[in-house]
Amino acid sequence: MVSLQEPLTWRVYVDGAVNQRGSGVELVVVSPKKITIEKSLRLGFLATNNEAEYKALLVGMNMVQKMRGRTVEVFSNSRLVVGQVNGELEARDLRMQGYLSQVRHLQSEFKYFALQQIPRSRNTHADSLATFATSSARSLPWFILVEDLCKPTEMKREKA
């Protein structure tokens, strides 16, 4: 009997960010069982935005690999990184060539690997983590609870 079961594909949304306060790497990893893992890292070195984008991609690929994922789809809003990895753009800068080489090495270890550019509007989850990592104080708690308030608090009027 032949089983035509779909491969267990991991989905990774990556973003890198650089501003006057520092650089950060952000990613959202979604397992085949729909478990979402968020990761936000501050880079302890000076980086360009493109370097941060590559670092985000590498961190995401490493995470999936460590969790024994063999098929992965990665989504990034970086036209440069996606273009270089997909062979549509040339990596001219030596540092970009180094990052591209690392991606190629990791890419070869996956059964299936796809990298797709998406607009920033479709990468808001990773982008919000990017903003958080590069603009927040270093002593923040590890867990942040977010609650949706659907209506304003009703004010009770005092009787005169």
Side-chain angles (χ1 to χ4, degrees):
M1 176 176 255
V2 176
S3 173
L4 297 176
Q5 187 178 19
E6 284 187 41
L8 301 175
T9 303
W10 292 74
R11 296 172 66 90
V12 183
Y13 297 83
V14 299
D15 197 13
V18 176
N19 62 34
Q20 63 274 19
R21 291 187 181 181
S23 328
V25 169
E26 302 67 41
L27 50 132
V28 178
V29 178
V30 182
S31 79
K33 294 184 179 183
K34 307 296 184 232
I35 297 170
T36 301
I37 303 163
E38 300 169 326
K39 189 164 191 169
S40 187
L41 302 166
R42 287 189 186 93
L43 301 180
F45 56 91
L46 292 176
T48 66
N49 192 61
N50 292 328
E51 287 175 303
E53 296 283 353
Y54 259 117
K55 195 67 179 163
L57 174 58
L58 289 165
V59 169
M61 292 172 75
N62 275 313
M63 280 182 67
V64 171
Q65 191 177 50
K66 286 179 183 176
M67 292 184 276
R68 302 196 196 300
R70 300 292 292 138
T71 62
V72 63
E73 293 178 346
V74 183
F75 303 90
S76 170
N77 55 21
S78 172
R79 188 167 48 123
L80 180 108
V81 171
V82 172
Q84 288 178 350
V85 171
N86 289 337
E88 299 157 358
L89 297 174
E90 183 182 343
R92 295 182 184 154
D93 181 83
L94 282 177
R95 292 191 337 215
M96 295 300 104
Q97 289 173 4
Y99 282 113
L100 180 57
S101 175
Q102 290 177 53
V103 169
R104 293 264 186 261
H105 173 73
L106 282 175
Q107 185 179 0
S108 69
E109 297 179 18
F110 287 101
K111 184 176 178 181
Y112 173 79
F113 175 87
L115 176 61
Q116 184 180 90
Q117 183 191 1
I118 58 173
R120 186 173 300 278
S121 62
R122 285 192 45 219
N123 203 21
T124 55
H125 194 157
D127 189 51
S128 65
L129 293 173
T131 303
F132 176 73
T134 59
S135 63
S136 60
R138 295 204 180 274
S139 60
L140 288 173
W142 286 96
F143 296 99
I144 298 176
L145 299 175
V146 177
E147 181 179 347
D148 291 325
L149 297 178
C150 299
K151 62 181 184 176
T153 303
E154 292 182 26
M155 298 297 208
K156 294 182 180 181
R157 295 187 179 163
E158 292 183 27
K159 294 182 180 179

